[in-house]
């Protein structure tokens, strides 16, 4: 695997994109009836998705190979025309799972359990494989940092024009404290589905307004919509941009109070309370925004909002699932365990159900080594009765 990263110079175009027809108005042909598209259909039920949970549990526990995935967060997914699915992860543990269900900080071979900041797991039917840069002895993240004080976490990705376009957020450390790090900028990495272990190219994305443009990507009509988060710690705000066509290398426009602008500084806060990762999916005649509820600190609730358009307003906040792992009263019985960053995978066929993933984590780093099940995604299937 090559250790050379090609950086493409130049920014994303900012000229105003060619306009396309507006989405269907509520009540018009092809849309939900008047008013209903702004409501989350109910009642809502959600149950653990046994198939996906079993798939990743079995793969993570399998010690046939000792350089593959044992757990991660992020959990975006990109379906390809050939039937494969690229699961996109951020922080990733590789290596072996011990007989007691933990990870050894030191393996029998003497090396530490590998940990990298971003990876792919490629699903081909029932088979999974892990993709990273470097070698089994010295694994590296797919998108390596510029130096030891920086790293990239993965955002949403999509397939277009024969490549996978993935959004990534660069973070930087500015001090010695455990929380002395901050978001720095956004980039777009392009990968070949046939040879995805390093980017074909890396491009800067708009980063001047303090918005991480990596939360979600959704194709709707003539545009590709890009969703971001303005993260102020306890307060997080949704922003929306769009690109004419299918590639994020096109000209960007930003949602304003009255329409769209080619100036990122004009981007407005569409709503509060989203996670750093969330999703917007077309589902039964409406756009559903699925996110962890961040209006309450460390909430266990996954909520959905509805809209008649892919850019909002998103209304009718509805709890669709309460994660059972969270806090002292959760299944781990540990106040340090928390869940976060729920989003949907609409390409997964569940007979009208919407598959949603979320991440599980702990504030006690040593617990990641004691119990591999903590740092793995969970999947639920949400069903709406309209």
């Amino acid at each position: 695997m090559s250790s050379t990263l090609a950086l493409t110079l130049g920014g994303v175009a900012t000229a105003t994109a060619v306009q396309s027809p507006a989405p269907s108005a509520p009540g018009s042909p092809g849309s939900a009836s008047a008013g209903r598209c702004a409501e989350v259909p109910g009642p809502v039920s959600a149950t653990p998705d046994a198939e996906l949970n079993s798939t990743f549990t079995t793969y993570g526990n399998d010690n046939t190979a000792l350089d593959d995935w044992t757990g991660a967060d992020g959990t975006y997914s990109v379906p390809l025309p050939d039937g494969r699915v690229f699961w996109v992860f951020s922080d990733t543990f590789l290596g072996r799972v011990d007989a007691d269900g933990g990870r050894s900080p030191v393996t029998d071979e003497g090396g530490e359990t590998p940990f990298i900041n971003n990876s792919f797991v490629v699903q081909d039917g029932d088979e999974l494989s892990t993709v990273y840069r470097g070698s089994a002895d010295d694994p590296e993240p797919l998108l390596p940092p510029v130096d030891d004080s920086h790293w990239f976490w993965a955002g949403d990705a999509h397939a277009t024009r024969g490549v996978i376009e993935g959004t990534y957020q660069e973070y930087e450390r500015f001090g010695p404290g455990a929380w002395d790090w901050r978001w720095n900028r956004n980039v777009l990495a392009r990968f070949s589905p046939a040879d995805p272990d390093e980017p074909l190219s890396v491009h800067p994305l708009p980063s001047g307004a303090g918005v991480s443009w990596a939360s979600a990507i959704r194709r709707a009509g003539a545009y590709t919509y890009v969703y971001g988060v303005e993260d102020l710690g306890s307060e997080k705000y949704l922003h929306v941009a769009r690109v004419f066509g299918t590639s994020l290398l096109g000209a960007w426009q930003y949602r304003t109070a009255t329409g769209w602008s080619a100036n990122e500084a004009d981007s407005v806060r569409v709503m509060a309370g989203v996670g750093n990762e969330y999703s917007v999916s077309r589902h039964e005649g409406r756009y559903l925004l699925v996110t962890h509820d961040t209006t309450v600190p460390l909430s266990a609730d996954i909520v959905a909002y509805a809209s008649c358009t892919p850019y909002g307003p998103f209304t009718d906040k509805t709890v669709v699932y309460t994660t059972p792992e969270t806090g002292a009263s959760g299944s781990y019985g540990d106040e340090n365990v928390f869940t976060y960053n729920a989003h949907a995978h609409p390409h997964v066929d569940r007979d009208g159900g919407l598959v949603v993933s979320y991440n599980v984590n702990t504030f006690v780093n040593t617990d990641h080594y004691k119990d591999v099940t903590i740092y793995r995604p969970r999947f639920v299937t949400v069903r709406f009765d309209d």
Side-chain angles (χ1 to χ4, degrees), residues 18-42:
V18 177
Q19 298 295 314
S20 68
S24 299
S28 64
S31 72
S33 59
R36 293 176 63 198
C37 56
E39 300 174 353
V40 175

Side-chain angles (χ1 to χ4, degrees), residues 212 280 296 302:
S212 170
V280 176
V296 177
I302 298 173

Side-chain angles (χ1 to χ4, degrees), residues 172-190:
E172 62 182 2
R173 183 167 294 283
F174 61 86
W179 298 99
D180 290 346
W181 49 270
R182 62 196 170 201
W183 170 86
N184 184 44
R185 62 175 178 138
N186 308 307
V187 303
L188 179 75
R190 300 170 66 251

